[in-house]
Amino acid sequence: MKIIRLISELRAELEQGRALSKTIGLVPTMGALHSGHISLVERAVAENDITVVSVFVNPTQFNDKNDLKNYPRTLDADCALLESAGVDYVFAPEVEEMYPKPDTRIFSFAPLDTVMEGACRPGHFNGVAQIVSKLFYAVEPDRAYFGEKDFQQLAIIREMVAQLELKLEIVGCPIVRESDGLALSSRNMLLTEEERTRALIISRTLFESLEFAKENTLQATKSFVEEKINAVDGFKLEYFQIVNGRTLQQIDNWDDCDYVVGCIALFCGKIRLIDNIKYKEVK
Ligand code: PAF
């Protein structure tokens, strides 16, 4: 496995593989890797001849300076995990390499980016689109892998690929959970032990709401989740929305569409966590 810092070096390496018609899989990450990331990496390794994992804490997608400062950075441990997962290249550039000058591009993915994370974290998805498009231009992958935990991000990246007319496949991979249900997130390592225990209520409530939804209206299910979460000391709910899984717009009734997802964001102490659950998915 090679660790590469420069786009020019990465391009030169990948050019050799491309000349031999090898397929390239990309897993974009911000590091602090956990089993959720590794599940994406393993899929990329299985489905492609060459796997590139980028590790880059992208400043343009953080709308909170403290969040950027506190974001865990564990490159050595990340590389050890990636090497044993069979990765060929880790691309770990400095900020100056990805942003030699400020990126002034403004994307619009409305209405996908005007709700939920887009409404709570202004500029976040523009920053995600800036870095992910730069990574796509640098790597030119055949496939890129993203987790469904960031459900809205995945929808927006698919839309970006369509808007930019890029020729690659976006592969969405299921949420990976701890055995007790907590959705894996790099931010979990910032939780105190007490907060980690409290955070379990998020997935537990979402799974309970799946059962509740079978006998109740969508509005009642929404209230069920909101009331349970609001009752927990130390939680601050930002939103729980039940949306059309394709348009990400809120719906009123279970029968409004064939893909229904509940998305939640909340602060557990100072740490912001997100999760989601599928109530209905017709493939
Ligand atoms: O999901 C993430 O970790 C980031 O948003 C991504 C896609 C790596 C872009 O920085």
Side-chain angles (χ1 to χ4, degrees):
M1 186 181 84
K2 278 195 181 168
I3 302 172
I4 295 185
R5 302 275 182 185
L6 302 178
I7 296 173
S8 54
E9 199 188 326
L10 181 65
R11 285 206 175 114
E13 289 277 346
L14 295 177
E15 212 38 66
Q16 297 174 21
R18 243 188 303 271
L20 299 169
S21 300
K22 293 196 171 175
T23 56
I24 300 172
L26 170 67
V27 184
T29 81
M30 296 205 297
L33 302 181
H34 49 66
S35 323
H37 294 112
I38 298 305
S39 74
L40 308 184
V41 170
E42 283 171 350
R43 183 140 175 212
V45 169
E47 293 180 352
N48 300 278
D49 300 316
I50 298 173
T51 299
V52 181
V53 177
S54 60
V55 176
F56 180 67
V57 181
N58 172 39
T60 71
Q61 71 187 73
F62 285 82
N63 55 326
D64 173 343
K65 282 201 181 77
N66 273 332
D67 194 18
L68 173 61
K69 196 171 115 232
N70 295 334
Y71 201 86
R73 289 160 171 88
T74 56
L75 186 61
D76 290 346
D78 293 344
C79 287
L81 280 176
L82 295 173
E83 178 134 46
S84 40
V87 167
D88 300 287
Y89 300 105
V90 174
F91 179 50
E94 295 295 335
V95 172
E96 296 69 32
E97 179 68 2
M98 295 317 286
Y99 297 103
K101 56 182 187 162
D103 190 337
T104 53
R105 289 175 300 161
I106 305 284
F107 293 84
S108 171
F109 304 113
L112 296 177
D113 60 352
T114 57
V115 294
M116 301 193 287
E117 294 301 282
C120 294
R121 303 178 67 189
H124 168 66
F125 286 123
N126 202 61
V128 169
Q130 288 177 342
I131 190 62
V132 173
S133 59
K134 278 173 181 277
L135 291 168
F136 287 173
Y137 292 135
V139 176
E140 295 183 49
D142 297 278
R143 299 184 190 87
Y145 296 79
F146 295 88
E148 287 184 345
K149 187 171 85 65
D150 294 293
F151 189 78
Q152 189 172 9
Q153 168 173 281
L154 177 58
I156 285 173
I157 287 168
R158 287 190 199 284
E159 173 63 20
M160 182 191 82
V161 166
Q163 286 186 10
L164 299 178
E165 299 180 34
L166 299 175
K167 208 177 124 284
L168 81 155
E169 184 191 345
I170 299 298
V171 183
C173 302
I175 297 180
V176 178
R177 296 182 181 278
E178 302 275 11
S179 55
D180 57 15
L182 183 67
L184 292 187
S185 163
S186 305
R187 289 195 161 88
N188 292 352
M189 67 174 77
L190 302 173
L191 297 168
T192 64
E193 207 173 309
E194 203 189 333
E195 288 167 343
R196 165 77 180 66
T197 307
R198 193 177 302 145
L200 283 182
I201 299 171
I202 306 167
S203 55
R204 199 182 307 145
T205 303
L206 292 180
F207 283 112
E208 282 171 11
S209 79
L210 263 188
E211 283 306 305
F212 184 89
K214 288 181 185 158
E215 306 289 338
N216 290 280
T217 63
L218 185 148
Q219 298 304 337
T221 306
K222 187 168 187 294
S223 304
F224 172 88
V225 171
E226 287 171 345
E227 280 163 24
K228 288 217 166 206
I229 297 295
N230 284 330
V232 179
D233 264 354
F235 274 179
K236 189 170 168 293
L237 179 63
E238 285 219 308
Y239 62 79
F240 173 64
Q241 294 193 5
I242 301 181
V243 301
N244 176 327
R246 277 174 263 279
T247 65
L248 305 186
Q249 305 308 295
Q250 289 200 75
I251 54 170
D252 296 323
N253 300 294
W254 295 123
D255 292 336
D256 284 353
C257 61
D258 59 8
Y259 189 17
V260 181
V261 183
C263 299
I264 192 164
L266 56 81
F267 280 93
C268 178
K270 289 199 167 67
I271 309 304
R272 192 171 184 279
L273 300 174
I274 60 172
D275 200 347
N276 63 75
I277 193 117
K278 290 179 188 171
Y279 293 106
K280 188 156 110 180
E281 185 178 19
V282 179
K283 294 212 171 159

